[in-house]
Amino acid sequence: MLEDKKIAIIGSGTMGQAIVGGLLRSGIPAARLKSTARTRSTSEKISEQFGIECSIHNDEVVRWADITILCVKPKDVEKVCIDLKKKEALVHNPLLISIAAGISTGFIENIVGSDTPVLRAMPNTPCFIGKGMTVVSKGANATDEHVEIARAIFSPLGRFIELEEKHMDTVTGLSASGPAFIYVIIEALADGGVMRGLPRNVATELVAQMTLGAAAMVLATGKHPAALKDDVTTPAGCTIAGILALEDGRIRSVLARGVETAAKVAAELGK
Ligand SMILES: NC(=O)c1ccc[n+]([C@@H]2O[C@H](COP(=O)([O-])OP(=O)(O)OC[C@H]3O[C@@H](n4cnc5c(N)ncnc54)[C@H](OP(=O)(O)O)[C@@H]3O)[C@@H](O)[C@H]2O)c1
């Protein structure tokens, strides 16, 4: 799908870098990628680190590209889009993909005009190592072919699915914020190992690999997590004893409410 397409990444922070790194690893030549940053210090650092052209001139880079991925903070999206429109950088109607939390495709379409196809994507930081999760939804002028282009961009960075835009704030609170939730859980479980005498690095390695394995079991078997849990819990055994202790701490509602809260805050970011 990407053939000779040129890709612009606007904003070269955590996610911009995760996407650039992932695209380069997937075989997109550096000559077909350009990025931008707000400051010269970031642009110089990115050019050196990734071997791509990184400038501070959004309009020039967008004019050059067939596909533009907006990776600036939600609060900067409006200003960046107004500037691109004013400088006529979008007259060739490139595919515009925004990864900004809480910013709807309609908000962007209202600024850039009805001819520019807009997709909203929500990736996460594990894209950096090819283990990401990206969800995409179509704006009013985007087609299935545009979704396939997004699939070609994000699939090498991990899993990819399309959903209706009404789900995107929930997706943000779940798979985009989620890595941070899991890091907290990994740290806390490792604390348990440390409390029992394991060195910190050993405890962390055990938890991280266990987490990887458990997640892979869910994806590979397609079984309900409760069924997989039952496979581990011998009657009157140690695992069910541990689970009851977790349930006493209301672990399920705490985690579910964490997602709900993050999703509500995500929805407010664009307002
Ligand atoms: N972090 C996550 O886990 C995550 C996950 C999914 C989606 N997102 C979304 O991804 C977007 C970026 O988040 P982030 O965490 O990558 O932010 P970040 O690390 O703060 O990076 C923002 C980047 O945007 C650049 N920038 C700011 N204003 C600009 C402008 N006018 N023109 C060009 N570049 C500009 C900054 O340049 P300087 O470095 O020069 O200041 C910086 O490189 C957000 O909208 C967020 O909602 C984030």
Side-chain angles (χ1 to χ4, degrees), residues 131 159 208-233:
K131 300 287 183 196
R159 284 185 172 241
Q209 177 61 20
M210 173 277 292
T211 306
L212 201 61
M217 285 288 281
V218 173
L219 291 174
T221 65
K223 282 189 182 176
H224 193 290
L228 291 166
K229 179 209 73 181
D230 286 352
D231 291 343
V232 191
T233 45

PDB file of all heavy atoms in Angstrom, residues 131 159 208-233:
ATOM      1  N   LYS A 131       5.657  -3.892  19.260  1.00  0.00           N
ATOM      2  CA  LYS A 131       4.653  -4.603  20.059  1.00  0.00           C
ATOM      3  C   LYS A 131       3.480  -3.692  20.404  1.00  0.00           C
ATOM      4  O   LYS A 131       2.832  -3.858  21.446  1.00  0.00           O
ATOM      5  CB  LYS A 131       5.289  -5.123  21.369  1.00  0.00           C
ATOM      6  CG  LYS A 131       6.441  -6.079  21.179  1.00  0.00           C
ATOM      7  CD  LYS A 131       5.956  -7.431  20.710  1.00  0.00           C
ATOM      8  CE  LYS A 131       7.108  -8.415  20.582  1.00  0.00           C
ATOM      9  NZ  LYS A 131       6.736  -9.591  19.791  1.00  0.00           N
ATOM     10  N   ARG A 159      -0.050  -4.619  16.556  1.00  0.00           N
ATOM     11  CA  ARG A 159      -1.388  -4.972  16.067  1.00  0.00           C
ATOM     12  C   ARG A 159      -2.136  -3.730  15.604  1.00  0.00           C
ATOM     13  O   ARG A 159      -1.848  -2.627  16.077  1.00  0.00           O
ATOM     14  CB  ARG A 159      -2.191  -5.639  17.189  1.00  0.00           C
ATOM     15  CG  ARG A 159      -1.752  -7.060  17.426  1.00  0.00           C
ATOM     16  CD  ARG A 159      -2.648  -7.733  18.446  1.00  0.00           C
ATOM     17  NE  ARG A 159      -2.298  -9.139  18.487  1.00  0.00           N
ATOM     18  CZ  ARG A 159      -3.118 -10.133  18.194  1.00  0.00           C
ATOM     19  NH1 ARG A 159      -4.374  -9.906  17.878  1.00  0.00           N
ATOM     20  NH2 ARG A 159      -2.703 -11.382  18.244  1.00  0.00           N
ATOM     21  N   ALA A 208       8.074  -9.338  34.384  1.00  0.00           N
ATOM     22  CA  ALA A 208       7.921  -8.865  32.999  1.00  0.00           C
ATOM     23  C   ALA A 208       7.710 -10.039  32.049  1.00  0.00           C
ATOM     24  O   ALA A 208       6.814 -10.016  31.196  1.00  0.00           O
ATOM     25  CB  ALA A 208       9.144  -8.048  32.590  1.00  0.00           C
ATOM     26  N   GLN A 209       8.499 -11.085  32.193  1.00  0.00           N
ATOM     27  CA  GLN A 209       8.347 -12.244  31.309  1.00  0.00           C
ATOM     28  C   GLN A 209       7.019 -12.955  31.557  1.00  0.00           C
ATOM     29  O   GLN A 209       6.350 -13.410  30.628  1.00  0.00           O
ATOM     30  CB  GLN A 209       9.530 -13.215  31.489  1.00  0.00           C
ATOM     31  CG  GLN A 209       9.438 -14.489  30.669  1.00  0.00           C
ATOM     32  CD  GLN A 209       9.407 -14.252  29.156  1.00  0.00           C
ATOM     33  OE1 GLN A 209       9.816 -13.204  28.678  1.00  0.00           O
ATOM     34  NE2 GLN A 209       8.900 -15.215  28.403  1.00  0.00           N
ATOM     35  N   MET A 210       6.613 -13.016  32.841  1.00  0.00           N
ATOM     36  CA  MET A 210       5.313 -13.630  33.173  1.00  0.00           C
ATOM     37  C   MET A 210       4.172 -12.841  32.536  1.00  0.00           C
ATOM     38  O   MET A 210       3.215 -13.408  31.987  1.00  0.00           O
ATOM     39  CB  MET A 210       5.173 -13.683  34.708  1.00  0.00           C
ATOM     40  CG  MET A 210       3.838 -14.125  35.227  1.00  0.00           C
ATOM     41  SD  MET A 210       2.631 -12.793  35.273  1.00  0.00           S
ATOM     42  CE  MET A 210       3.281 -11.737  36.547  1.00  0.00           C
ATOM     43  N   THR A 211       4.280 -11.492  32.577  1.00  0.00           N
ATOM     44  CA  THR A 211       3.235 -10.636  31.995  1.00  0.00           C
ATOM     45  C   THR A 211       3.149 -10.851  30.485  1.00  0.00           C
ATOM     46  O   THR A 211       2.062 -10.972  29.908  1.00  0.00           O
ATOM     47  CB  THR A 211       3.540  -9.149  32.298  1.00  0.00           C
ATOM     48  OG1 THR A 211       3.716  -9.012  33.709  1.00  0.00           O
ATOM     49  CG2 THR A 211       2.414  -8.234  31.842  1.00  0.00           C
ATOM     50  N   LEU A 212       4.346 -10.906  29.859  1.00  0.00           N
ATOM     51  CA  LEU A 212       4.417 -11.169  28.419  1.00  0.00           C
ATOM     52  C   LEU A 212       3.742 -12.497  28.093  1.00  0.00           C
ATOM     53  O   LEU A 212       2.931 -12.603  27.164  1.00  0.00           O
ATOM     54  CB  LEU A 212       5.903 -11.223  28.033  1.00  0.00           C
ATOM     55  CG  LEU A 212       6.337 -11.008  26.610  1.00  0.00           C
ATOM     56  CD1 LEU A 212       5.939  -9.614  26.145  1.00  0.00           C
ATOM     57  CD2 LEU A 212       7.860 -11.161  26.522  1.00  0.00           C
ATOM     58  N   GLY A 213       4.064 -13.520  28.863  1.00  0.00           N
ATOM     59  CA  GLY A 213       3.519 -14.861  28.615  1.00  0.00           C
ATOM     60  C   GLY A 213       2.014 -14.907  28.814  1.00  0.00           C
ATOM     61  O   GLY A 213       1.291 -15.493  27.999  1.00  0.00           O
ATOM     62  N   ALA A 214       1.534 -14.262  29.882  1.00  0.00           N
ATOM     63  CA  ALA A 214       0.090 -14.285  30.156  1.00  0.00           C
ATOM     64  C   ALA A 214      -0.659 -13.554  29.041  1.00  0.00           C
ATOM     65  O   ALA A 214      -1.704 -14.028  28.556  1.00  0.00           O
ATOM     66  CB  ALA A 214      -0.191 -13.637  31.516  1.00  0.00           C
ATOM     67  N   ALA A 215      -0.135 -12.398  28.604  1.00  0.00           N
ATOM     68  CA  ALA A 215      -0.784 -11.648  27.524  1.00  0.00           C
ATOM     69  C   ALA A 215      -0.789 -12.479  26.245  1.00  0.00           C
ATOM     70  O   ALA A 215      -1.795 -12.541  25.519  1.00  0.00           O
ATOM     71  CB  ALA A 215      -0.068 -10.321  27.302  1.00  0.00           C
ATOM     72  N   ALA A 216       0.334 -13.147  25.970  1.00  0.00           N
ATOM     73  CA  ALA A 216       0.430 -13.964  24.755  1.00  0.00           C
ATOM     74  C   ALA A 216      -0.554 -15.134  24.815  1.00  0.00           C
ATOM     75  O   ALA A 216      -1.131 -15.521  23.790  1.00  0.00           O
ATOM     76  CB  ALA A 216       1.865 -14.467  24.570  1.00  0.00           C
ATOM     77  N   MET A 217      -0.770 -15.700  26.017  1.00  0.00           N
ATOM     78  CA  MET A 217      -1.754 -16.791  26.164  1.00  0.00           C
ATOM     79  C   MET A 217      -3.157 -16.310  25.807  1.00  0.00           C
ATOM     80  O   MET A 217      -3.924 -17.016  25.148  1.00  0.00           O
ATOM     81  CB  MET A 217      -1.748 -17.310  27.611  1.00  0.00           C
ATOM     82  CG  MET A 217      -0.562 -18.179  27.969  1.00  0.00           C
ATOM     83  SD  MET A 217      -0.639 -19.821  27.209  1.00  0.00           S
ATOM     84  CE  MET A 217      -1.795 -20.659  28.303  1.00  0.00           C
ATOM     85  N   VAL A 218      -3.504 -15.098  26.255  1.00  0.00           N
ATOM     86  CA  VAL A 218      -4.837 -14.555  25.957  1.00  0.00           C
ATOM     87  C   VAL A 218      -5.016 -14.410  24.446  1.00  0.00           C
ATOM     88  O   VAL A 218      -6.036 -14.818  23.880  1.00  0.00           O
ATOM     89  CB  VAL A 218      -5.041 -13.187  26.651  1.00  0.00           C
ATOM     90  CG1 VAL A 218      -6.358 -12.545  26.206  1.00  0.00           C
ATOM     91  CG2 VAL A 218      -5.018 -13.344  28.170  1.00  0.00           C
ATOM     92  N   LEU A 219      -3.992 -13.856  23.778  1.00  0.00           N
ATOM     93  CA  LEU A 219      -4.096 -13.627  22.332  1.00  0.00           C
ATOM     94  C   LEU A 219      -4.016 -14.943  21.547  1.00  0.00           C
ATOM     95  O   LEU A 219      -4.755 -15.139  20.587  1.00  0.00           O
ATOM     96  CB  LEU A 219      -2.990 -12.675  21.863  1.00  0.00           C
ATOM     97  CG  LEU A 219      -3.123 -11.224  22.351  1.00  0.00           C
ATOM     98  CD1 LEU A 219      -1.889 -10.415  21.955  1.00  0.00           C
ATOM     99  CD2 LEU A 219      -4.379 -10.571  21.791  1.00  0.00           C
ATOM    100  N   ALA A 220      -3.116 -15.841  21.980  1.00  0.00           N
ATOM    101  CA  ALA A 220      -2.890 -17.059  21.189  1.00  0.00           C
ATOM    102  C   ALA A 220      -4.024 -18.065  21.336  1.00  0.00           C
ATOM    103  O   ALA A 220      -4.397 -18.734  20.368  1.00  0.00           O
ATOM    104  CB  ALA A 220      -1.569 -17.705  21.597  1.00  0.00           C
ATOM    105  N   THR A 221      -4.600 -18.175  22.547  1.00  0.00           N
ATOM    106  CA  THR A 221      -5.638 -19.198  22.748  1.00  0.00           C
ATOM    107  C   THR A 221      -7.032 -18.668  22.434  1.00  0.00           C
ATOM    108  O   THR A 221      -7.937 -19.446  22.132  1.00  0.00           O
ATOM    109  CB  THR A 221      -5.658 -19.699  24.210  1.00  0.00           C
ATOM    110  OG1 THR A 221      -6.035 -18.609  25.063  1.00  0.00           O
ATOM    111  CG2 THR A 221      -4.305 -20.240  24.642  1.00  0.00           C
ATOM    112  N   GLY A 222      -7.222 -17.362  22.548  1.00  0.00           N
ATOM    113  CA  GLY A 222      -8.559 -16.796  22.361  1.00  0.00           C
ATOM    114  C   GLY A 222      -9.491 -17.160  23.503  1.00  0.00           C
ATOM    115  O   GLY A 222     -10.690 -16.882  23.449  1.00  0.00           O
ATOM    116  N   LYS A 223      -8.952 -17.791  24.552  1.00  0.00           N
ATOM    117  CA  LYS A 223      -9.805 -18.174  25.692  1.00  0.00           C
ATOM    118  C   LYS A 223     -10.144 -16.959  26.537  1.00  0.00           C
ATOM    119  O   LYS A 223      -9.370 -15.996  26.592  1.00  0.00           O
ATOM    120  CB  LYS A 223      -9.048 -19.166  26.591  1.00  0.00           C
ATOM    121  CG  LYS A 223      -8.997 -20.589  26.097  1.00  0.00           C
ATOM    122  CD  LYS A 223      -8.417 -21.432  27.236  1.00  0.00           C
ATOM    123  CE  LYS A 223      -8.251 -22.877  26.912  1.00  0.00           C
ATOM    124  NZ  LYS A 223      -7.599 -23.602  28.035  1.00  0.00           N
ATOM    125  N   HIS A 224     -11.262 -17.022  27.250  1.00  0.00           N
ATOM    126  CA  HIS A 224     -11.600 -15.958  28.194  1.00  0.00           C
ATOM    127  C   HIS A 224     -10.536 -15.948  29.300  1.00  0.00           C
ATOM    128  O   HIS A 224     -10.115 -17.019  29.762  1.00  0.00           O
ATOM    129  CB  HIS A 224     -12.983 -16.246  28.800  1.00  0.00           C
ATOM    130  CG  HIS A 224     -13.546 -15.076  29.543  1.00  0.00           C
ATOM    131  ND1 HIS A 224     -13.039 -14.627  30.737  1.00  0.00           N
ATOM    132  CD2 HIS A 224     -14.577 -14.241  29.237  1.00  0.00           C
ATOM    133  CE1 HIS A 224     -13.727 -13.577  31.149  1.00  0.00           C
ATOM    134  NE2 HIS A 224     -14.669 -13.318  30.247  1.00  0.00           N
ATOM    135  N   PRO A 225     -10.122 -14.758  29.743  1.00  0.00           N
ATOM    136  CA  PRO A 225      -9.109 -14.704  30.812  1.00  0.00           C
ATOM    137  C   PRO A 225      -9.519 -15.486  32.059  1.00  0.00           C
ATOM    138  O   PRO A 225      -8.653 -16.049  32.751  1.00  0.00           O
ATOM    139  CB  PRO A 225      -8.995 -13.206  31.126  1.00  0.00           C
ATOM    140  CG  PRO A 225      -9.462 -12.514  29.890  1.00  0.00           C
ATOM    141  CD  PRO A 225     -10.468 -13.422  29.244  1.00  0.00           C
ATOM    142  N   ALA A 226     -10.819 -15.534  32.330  1.00  0.00           N
ATOM    143  CA  ALA A 226     -11.266 -16.276  33.524  1.00  0.00           C
ATOM    144  C   ALA A 226     -10.950 -17.765  33.380  1.00  0.00           C
ATOM    145  O   ALA A 226     -10.594 -18.434  34.365  1.00  0.00           O
ATOM    146  CB  ALA A 226     -12.762 -16.064  33.736  1.00  0.00           C
ATOM    147  N   ALA A 227     -11.084 -18.301  32.150  1.00  0.00           N
ATOM    148  CA  ALA A 227     -10.783 -19.725  31.929  1.00  0.00           C
ATOM    149  C   ALA A 227      -9.276 -19.971  32.107  1.00  0.00           C
ATOM    150  O   ALA A 227      -8.869 -20.991  32.687  1.00  0.00           O
ATOM    151  CB  ALA A 227     -11.230 -20.136  30.529  1.00  0.00           C
ATOM    152  N   LEU A 228      -8.485 -19.041  31.615  1.00  0.00           N
ATOM    153  CA  LEU A 228      -7.024 -19.188  31.772  1.00  0.00           C
ATOM    154  C   LEU A 228      -6.637 -19.087  33.251  1.00  0.00           C
ATOM    155  O   LEU A 228      -5.754 -19.806  33.728  1.00  0.00           O
ATOM    156  CB  LEU A 228      -6.296 -18.118  30.948  1.00  0.00           C
ATOM    157  CG  LEU A 228      -6.414 -18.306  29.428  1.00  0.00           C
ATOM    158  CD1 LEU A 228      -5.975 -17.043  28.693  1.00  0.00           C
ATOM    159  CD2 LEU A 228      -5.590 -19.500  28.962  1.00  0.00           C
ATOM    160  N   LYS A 229      -7.327 -18.217  33.976  1.00  0.00           N
ATOM    161  CA  LYS A 229      -7.085 -18.082  35.417  1.00  0.00           C
ATOM    162  C   LYS A 229      -7.416 -19.391  36.132  1.00  0.00           C
ATOM    163  O   LYS A 229      -6.664 -19.855  36.998  1.00  0.00           O
ATOM    164  CB  LYS A 229      -7.935 -16.934  35.977  1.00  0.00           C
ATOM    165  CG  LYS A 229      -7.806 -16.710  37.460  1.00  0.00           C
ATOM    166  CD  LYS A 229      -9.090 -16.127  38.055  1.00  0.00           C
ATOM    167  CE  LYS A 229     -10.183 -17.177  38.113  1.00  0.00           C
ATOM    168  NZ  LYS A 229     -11.468 -16.726  38.653  1.00  0.00           N
ATOM    169  N   ASP A 230      -8.529 -19.992  35.727  1.00  0.00           N
ATOM    170  CA  ASP A 230      -8.927 -21.256  36.361  1.00  0.00           C
ATOM    171  C   ASP A 230      -7.871 -22.341  36.147  1.00  0.00           C
ATOM    172  O   ASP A 230      -7.680 -23.214  37.003  1.00  0.00           O
ATOM    173  CB  ASP A 230     -10.281 -21.733  35.803  1.00  0.00           C
ATOM    174  CG  ASP A 230     -11.442 -20.913  36.347  1.00  0.00           C
ATOM    175  OD1 ASP A 230     -11.194 -20.097  37.264  1.00  0.00           O
ATOM    176  OD2 ASP A 230     -12.573 -21.072  35.848  1.00  0.00           O
ATOM    177  N   ASP A 231      -7.175 -22.296  34.987  1.00  0.00           N
ATOM    178  CA  ASP A 231      -6.125 -23.287  34.725  1.00  0.00           C
ATOM    179  C   ASP A 231      -4.985 -23.191  35.738  1.00  0.00           C
ATOM    180  O   ASP A 231      -4.234 -24.144  35.946  1.00  0.00           O
ATOM    181  CB  ASP A 231      -5.532 -23.074  33.315  1.00  0.00           C
ATOM    182  CG  ASP A 231      -6.529 -23.435  32.226  1.00  0.00           C
ATOM    183  OD1 ASP A 231      -7.510 -24.125  32.528  1.00  0.00           O
ATOM    184  OD2 ASP A 231      -6.315 -23.001  31.072  1.00  0.00           O
ATOM    185  N   VAL A 232      -4.820 -22.001  36.331  1.00  0.00           N
ATOM    186  CA  VAL A 232      -3.690 -21.791  37.256  1.00  0.00           C
ATOM    187  C   VAL A 232      -4.085 -22.057  38.709  1.00  0.00           C
ATOM    188  O   VAL A 232      -3.238 -22.300  39.563  1.00  0.00           O
ATOM    189  CB  VAL A 232      -3.152 -20.332  37.136  1.00  0.00           C
ATOM    190  CG1 VAL A 232      -1.819 -20.166  37.868  1.00  0.00           C
ATOM    191  CG2 VAL A 232      -2.979 -19.921  35.670  1.00  0.00           C
ATOM    192  N   THR A 233      -5.402 -22.004  38.978  1.00  0.00           N
ATOM    193  CA  THR A 233      -5.835 -22.048  40.382  1.00  0.00           C
ATOM    194  C   THR A 233      -6.217 -23.464  40.829  1.00  0.00           C
ATOM    195  O   THR A 233      -7.358 -23.918  40.620  1.00  0.00           O
ATOM    196  CB  THR A 233      -7.046 -21.102  40.607  1.00  0.00           C
ATOM    197  OG1 THR A 233      -7.973 -21.301  39.534  1.00  0.00           O
ATOM    198  CG2 THR A 233      -6.622 -19.661  40.627  1.00  0.00           C
TER     199      THR A 233
END
